[in-house]
mmCIF file of all heavy atoms in Angstrom:
data_model
loop_
_atom_site.group_PDB
_atom_site.id
_atom_site.type_symbol
_atom_site.label_atom_id
_atom_site.label_comp_id
_atom_site.label_asym_id
_atom_site.label_seq_id
_atom_site.Cartn_x
_atom_site.Cartn_y
_atom_site.Cartn_z
ATOM 1 N N LEU A 61 83.982 124.095 185.019
ATOM 2 C CA LEU A 61 83.565 125.185 184.156
ATOM 3 C C LEU A 61 82.154 124.949 183.664
ATOM 4 O O LEU A 61 81.889 124.013 182.944
ATOM 5 C CB LEU A 61 84.526 125.301 182.971
ATOM 6 C CG LEU A 61 85.940 125.734 183.332
ATOM 7 C CD1 LEU A 61 86.806 125.737 182.103
ATOM 8 C CD2 LEU A 61 85.947 127.082 183.986
ATOM 9 N N GLY A 62 81.274 125.826 183.994
ATOM 10 C CA GLY A 62 79.953 125.841 183.398
ATOM 11 C C GLY A 62 78.878 125.149 184.197
ATOM 12 O O GLY A 62 77.754 125.602 184.224
ATOM 13 N N ASP A 63 79.137 124.065 184.880
ATOM 14 C CA ASP A 63 78.050 123.294 185.474
ATOM 15 C C ASP A 63 78.210 123.167 186.997
ATOM 16 O O ASP A 63 77.743 123.997 187.748
ATOM 17 C CB ASP A 63 77.961 121.912 184.832
ATOM 18 C CG ASP A 63 77.523 122.012 183.380
ATOM 19 O OD1 ASP A 63 76.732 122.903 183.086
ATOM 20 O OD2 ASP A 63 77.995 121.197 182.583
ATOM 21 N N GLU A 64 78.874 122.102 187.437
ATOM 22 C CA GLU A 64 78.933 121.793 188.853
ATOM 23 C C GLU A 64 80.283 122.214 189.432
ATOM 24 O O GLU A 64 81.246 122.425 188.703
ATOM 25 C CB GLU A 64 78.724 120.292 189.067
ATOM 26 C CG GLU A 64 77.372 119.807 188.544
ATOM 27 C CD GLU A 64 77.254 118.304 188.662
ATOM 28 O OE1 GLU A 64 78.277 117.686 189.012
ATOM 29 O OE2 GLU A 64 76.173 117.771 188.402
ATOM 30 N N TYR A 65 80.353 122.288 190.744
ATOM 31 C CA TYR A 65 81.593 122.645 191.404
ATOM 32 C C TYR A 65 81.651 121.979 192.762
ATOM 33 O O TYR A 65 80.653 121.481 193.274
ATOM 34 C CB TYR A 65 81.728 124.164 191.539
ATOM 35 C CG TYR A 65 80.582 124.803 192.276
ATOM 36 C CD1 TYR A 65 80.598 124.910 193.654
ATOM 37 C CD2 TYR A 65 79.472 125.254 191.575
ATOM 38 C CE1 TYR A 65 79.543 125.461 194.326
ATOM 39 C CE2 TYR A 65 78.405 125.815 192.250
ATOM 40 C CZ TYR A 65 78.459 125.919 193.633
ATOM 41 O OH TYR A 65 77.406 126.462 194.294
ATOM 42 N N GLN A 66 82.820 122.019 193.340
ATOM 43 C CA GLN A 66 83.014 121.413 194.659
ATOM 44 C C GLN A 66 83.835 122.372 195.490
ATOM 45 O O GLN A 66 84.827 122.932 195.008
ATOM 46 C CB GLN A 66 83.735 120.075 194.513
ATOM 47 C CG GLN A 66 83.975 119.378 195.846
ATOM 48 C CD GLN A 66 84.726 118.076 195.655
ATOM 49 O OE1 GLN A 66 85.091 117.737 194.546
ATOM 50 N NE2 GLN A 66 84.960 117.373 196.737
ATOM 51 N N VAL A 67 83.452 122.584 196.721
ATOM 52 C CA VAL A 67 84.139 123.504 197.611
ATOM 53 C C VAL A 67 84.987 122.686 198.583
ATOM 54 O O VAL A 67 84.489 121.753 199.214
ATOM 55 C CB VAL A 67 83.140 124.394 198.382
ATOM 56 C CG1 VAL A 67 83.878 125.360 199.276
ATOM 57 C CG2 VAL A 67 82.264 125.140 197.400
ATOM 58 N N VAL A 68 86.261 123.024 198.691
ATOM 59 C CA VAL A 68 87.149 122.339 199.631
ATOM 60 C C VAL A 68 87.843 123.398 200.472
ATOM 61 O O VAL A 68 87.875 124.581 200.117
ATOM 62 C CB VAL A 68 88.192 121.468 198.885
ATOM 63 C CG1 VAL A 68 87.487 120.403 198.079
ATOM 64 C CG2 VAL A 68 89.058 122.327 197.978
ATOM 65 N N SER A 69 88.404 122.985 201.545
ATOM 66 C CA SER A 69 89.078 123.907 202.451
ATOM 67 C C SER A 69 90.447 123.350 202.773
ATOM 68 O O SER A 69 90.602 122.153 203.023
ATOM 69 C CB SER A 69 88.253 124.101 203.720
ATOM 70 O OG SER A 69 88.935 124.923 204.641
ATOM 71 N N THR A 70 91.432 124.219 202.756
ATOM 72 C CA THR A 70 92.794 123.820 203.109
ATOM 73 C C THR A 70 93.297 124.772 204.182
ATOM 74 O O THR A 70 92.805 125.895 204.360
ATOM 75 C CB THR A 70 93.719 123.880 201.890
ATOM 76 O OG1 THR A 70 93.718 125.227 201.389
ATOM 77 C CG2 THR A 70 93.234 122.949 200.790
ATOM 78 N N SER A 71 94.298 124.352 204.866
ATOM 79 C CA SER A 71 94.927 125.203 205.873
ATOM 80 C C SER A 71 96.419 125.022 205.786
ATOM 81 O O SER A 71 96.923 124.136 205.107
ATOM 82 C CB SER A 71 94.407 124.843 207.274
ATOM 83 O OG SER A 71 94.752 123.509 207.598
ATOM 84 N N ALA A 72 97.134 125.860 206.510
ATOM 85 C CA ALA A 72 98.595 125.779 206.452
ATOM 86 C C ALA A 72 99.084 124.443 206.978
ATOM 87 O O ALA A 72 100.092 123.907 206.528
ATOM 88 C CB ALA A 72 99.199 126.934 207.280
ATOM 89 N N SER A 73 98.379 123.876 207.956
ATOM 90 C CA SER A 73 98.794 122.588 208.495
ATOM 91 C C SER A 73 98.212 121.428 207.737
ATOM 92 O O SER A 73 98.591 120.289 207.967
ATOM 93 C CB SER A 73 98.371 122.495 209.967
ATOM 94 O OG SER A 73 96.953 122.601 210.080
ATOM 95 N N GLY A 74 97.272 121.704 206.839
ATOM 96 C CA GLY A 74 96.685 120.630 206.042
ATOM 97 C C GLY A 74 95.661 119.828 206.801
ATOM 98 O O GLY A 74 95.232 118.779 206.341
ATOM 99 N N GLY A 75 95.209 120.280 208.024
ATOM 100 C CA GLY A 75 94.283 119.495 208.817
ATOM 101 C C GLY A 75 92.860 119.972 208.788
ATOM 102 O O GLY A 75 92.055 119.542 209.588
ATOM 103 N N GLY A 76 92.550 120.927 207.929
ATOM 104 C CA GLY A 76 91.206 121.474 207.887
ATOM 105 C C GLY A 76 90.215 120.477 207.319
ATOM 106 O O GLY A 76 90.554 119.633 206.506
ATOM 107 N N LEU A 77 88.963 120.568 207.800
ATOM 108 C CA LEU A 77 87.916 119.703 207.287
ATOM 109 C C LEU A 77 87.135 120.448 206.225
ATOM 110 O O LEU A 77 86.874 121.656 206.348
ATOM 111 C CB LEU A 77 86.961 119.295 208.426
ATOM 112 C CG LEU A 77 87.589 118.432 209.526
ATOM 113 C CD1 LEU A 77 86.562 118.174 210.622
ATOM 114 C CD2 LEU A 77 88.115 117.125 208.940
ATOM 115 N N PRO A 78 86.755 119.770 205.160
ATOM 116 C CA PRO A 78 86.002 120.449 204.106
ATOM 117 C C PRO A 78 84.600 120.779 204.580
ATOM 118 O O PRO A 78 83.983 120.030 205.333
ATOM 119 C CB PRO A 78 85.970 119.420 202.964
ATOM 120 C CG PRO A 78 86.124 118.101 203.646
ATOM 121 C CD PRO A 78 86.999 118.356 204.840
ATOM 122 N N PRO A 79 84.080 121.926 204.176
ATOM 123 C CA PRO A 79 82.701 122.270 204.539
ATOM 124 C C PRO A 79 81.733 121.386 203.787
ATOM 125 O O PRO A 79 82.105 120.698 202.839
ATOM 126 C CB PRO A 79 82.586 123.734 204.081
ATOM 127 C CG PRO A 79 83.604 123.863 202.992
ATOM 128 C CD PRO A 79 84.723 122.947 203.372
ATOM 129 N N PRO A 80 80.474 121.384 204.192
ATOM 130 C CA PRO A 80 79.484 120.537 203.507
ATOM 131 C C PRO A 80 79.374 120.932 202.040
ATOM 132 O O PRO A 80 79.451 122.108 201.693
ATOM 133 C CB PRO A 80 78.185 120.819 204.277
ATOM 134 C CG PRO A 80 78.612 121.367 205.590
ATOM 135 C CD PRO A 80 79.897 122.091 205.345
ATOM 136 N N ARG A 81 79.166 119.924 201.223
ATOM 137 C CA ARG A 81 79.005 120.180 199.790
ATOM 138 C C ARG A 81 77.674 120.872 199.527
ATOM 139 O O ARG A 81 76.668 120.573 200.155
ATOM 140 C CB ARG A 81 79.049 118.876 198.996
ATOM 141 C CG ARG A 81 80.415 118.258 198.909
ATOM 142 C CD ARG A 81 80.383 117.113 197.922
ATOM 143 N NE ARG A 81 81.686 116.517 197.763
ATOM 144 C CZ ARG A 81 81.951 115.544 196.900
ATOM 145 N NH1 ARG A 81 80.978 115.063 196.159
ATOM 146 N NH2 ARG A 81 83.162 115.055 196.815
ATOM 147 N N ALA A 82 77.721 121.772 198.569
ATOM 148 C CA ALA A 82 76.474 122.410 198.158
ATOM 149 C C ALA A 82 75.641 121.407 197.381
ATOM 150 O O ALA A 82 76.169 120.510 196.727
ATOM 151 C CB ALA A 82 76.773 123.639 197.290
ATOM 152 N N ALA A 83 74.343 121.563 197.482
ATOM 153 C CA ALA A 83 73.460 120.657 196.750
ATOM 154 C C ALA A 83 73.691 120.818 195.261
ATOM 155 O O ALA A 83 73.790 121.942 194.766
ATOM 156 C CB ALA A 83 72.005 120.968 197.092
ATOM 157 N N PRO A 84 73.842 119.714 194.536
ATOM 158 C CA PRO A 84 74.124 119.822 193.099
ATOM 159 C C PRO A 84 72.967 120.488 192.366
ATOM 160 O O PRO A 84 71.800 120.197 192.607
ATOM 161 C CB PRO A 84 74.289 118.360 192.663
ATOM 162 C CG PRO A 84 73.560 117.564 193.702
ATOM 163 C CD PRO A 84 73.692 118.319 194.965
ATOM 164 N N ARG A 85 73.336 121.409 191.483
ATOM 165 C CA ARG A 85 72.340 122.094 190.696
ATOM 166 C C ARG A 85 71.976 121.278 189.468
ATOM 167 O O ARG A 85 72.758 120.470 188.982
ATOM 168 C CB ARG A 85 72.864 123.465 190.258
ATOM 169 C CG ARG A 85 73.103 124.408 191.415
ATOM 170 C CD ARG A 85 73.681 125.722 190.915
ATOM 171 N NE ARG A 85 75.025 125.514 190.379
ATOM 172 C CZ ARG A 85 75.762 126.514 189.884
ATOM 173 N NH1 ARG A 85 75.265 127.728 189.837
ATOM 174 N NH2 ARG A 85 76.972 126.268 189.414
ATOM 175 N N GLY A 86 70.748 121.497 188.977
ATOM 176 C CA GLY A 86 70.323 120.815 187.768
ATOM 177 C C GLY A 86 71.174 121.249 186.578
ATOM 178 O O GLY A 86 71.609 122.398 186.501
ATOM 179 N N LYS A 87 71.380 120.336 185.674
ATOM 180 C CA LYS A 87 72.203 120.629 184.510
ATOM 181 C C LYS A 87 71.499 121.667 183.640
ATOM 182 O O LYS A 87 70.345 121.507 183.270
ATOM 183 C CB LYS A 87 72.450 119.352 183.705
ATOM 184 C CG LYS A 87 73.455 119.538 182.584
ATOM 185 C CD LYS A 87 73.752 118.218 181.921
ATOM 186 C CE LYS A 87 74.791 118.375 180.814
ATOM 187 N NZ LYS A 87 76.060 118.865 181.346
ATOM 188 N N ARG A 88 72.178 122.736 183.335
ATOM 189 C CA ARG A 88 71.604 123.800 182.540
ATOM 190 C C ARG A 88 72.282 123.852 181.172
ATOM 191 O O ARG A 88 73.355 123.296 180.966
ATOM 192 C CB ARG A 88 71.763 125.144 183.245
ATOM 193 C CG ARG A 88 73.208 125.576 183.470
ATOM 194 C CD ARG A 88 73.268 126.886 184.233
ATOM 195 N NE ARG A 88 74.641 127.292 184.497
ATOM 196 C CZ ARG A 88 75.376 128.010 183.668
ATOM 197 N NH1 ARG A 88 74.864 128.383 182.501
ATOM 198 N NH2 ARG A 88 76.612 128.346 183.967
ATOM 199 N N GLN A 89 71.633 124.540 180.271
ATOM 200 C CA GLN A 89 72.158 124.668 178.923
ATOM 201 C C GLN A 89 73.387 125.563 178.926
ATOM 202 O O GLN A 89 73.370 126.659 179.491
ATOM 203 C CB GLN A 89 71.080 125.258 178.001
ATOM 204 C CG GLN A 89 71.483 125.352 176.539
ATOM 205 C CD GLN A 89 71.582 123.984 175.891
ATOM 206 O OE1 GLN A 89 70.909 123.057 176.322
ATOM 207 N NE2 GLN A 89 72.407 123.860 174.889
ATOM 208 N N ARG A 90 74.435 125.096 178.291
ATOM 209 C CA ARG A 90 75.664 125.872 178.215
ATOM 210 C C ARG A 90 75.621 126.803 177.021
ATOM 211 O O ARG A 90 75.014 126.509 175.996
ATOM 212 C CB ARG A 90 76.878 124.950 178.085
ATOM 213 C CG ARG A 90 77.113 124.047 179.272
ATOM 214 C CD ARG A 90 78.216 123.045 178.961
ATOM 215 N NE ARG A 90 79.436 123.719 178.582
ATOM 216 C CZ ARG A 90 80.418 124.006 179.420
ATOM 217 N NH1 ARG A 90 80.302 123.685 180.690
ATOM 218 N NH2 ARG A 90 81.509 124.606 179.007
ATOM 219 N N PHE A 91 76.284 127.936 177.155
ATOM 220 C CA PHE A 91 76.434 128.850 176.027
ATOM 221 C C PHE A 91 77.402 128.269 175.003
ATOM 222 O O PHE A 91 77.172 128.340 173.800
ATOM 223 C CB PHE A 91 76.924 130.209 176.525
ATOM 224 C CG PHE A 91 77.146 131.211 175.435
ATOM 225 C CD1 PHE A 91 76.077 131.744 174.735
ATOM 226 C CD2 PHE A 91 78.426 131.632 175.099
ATOM 227 C CE1 PHE A 91 76.269 132.666 173.727
ATOM 228 C CE2 PHE A 91 78.631 132.550 174.105
ATOM 229 C CZ PHE A 91 77.551 133.071 173.409
#
Side-chain angles (χ1 to χ4, degrees):
L61 293 177
D63 292 326
E64 300 175 353
Y65 57 87
Q66 180 182 2
V67 181
V68 299
S69 176
T70 59
S71 62
S73 61
L77 295 177
R81 288 189 178 184
R85 295 177 293 181
K87 188 174 182 62
R88 62 183 178 88
Q89 184 70 27
R90 296 172 57 95
F91 178 69

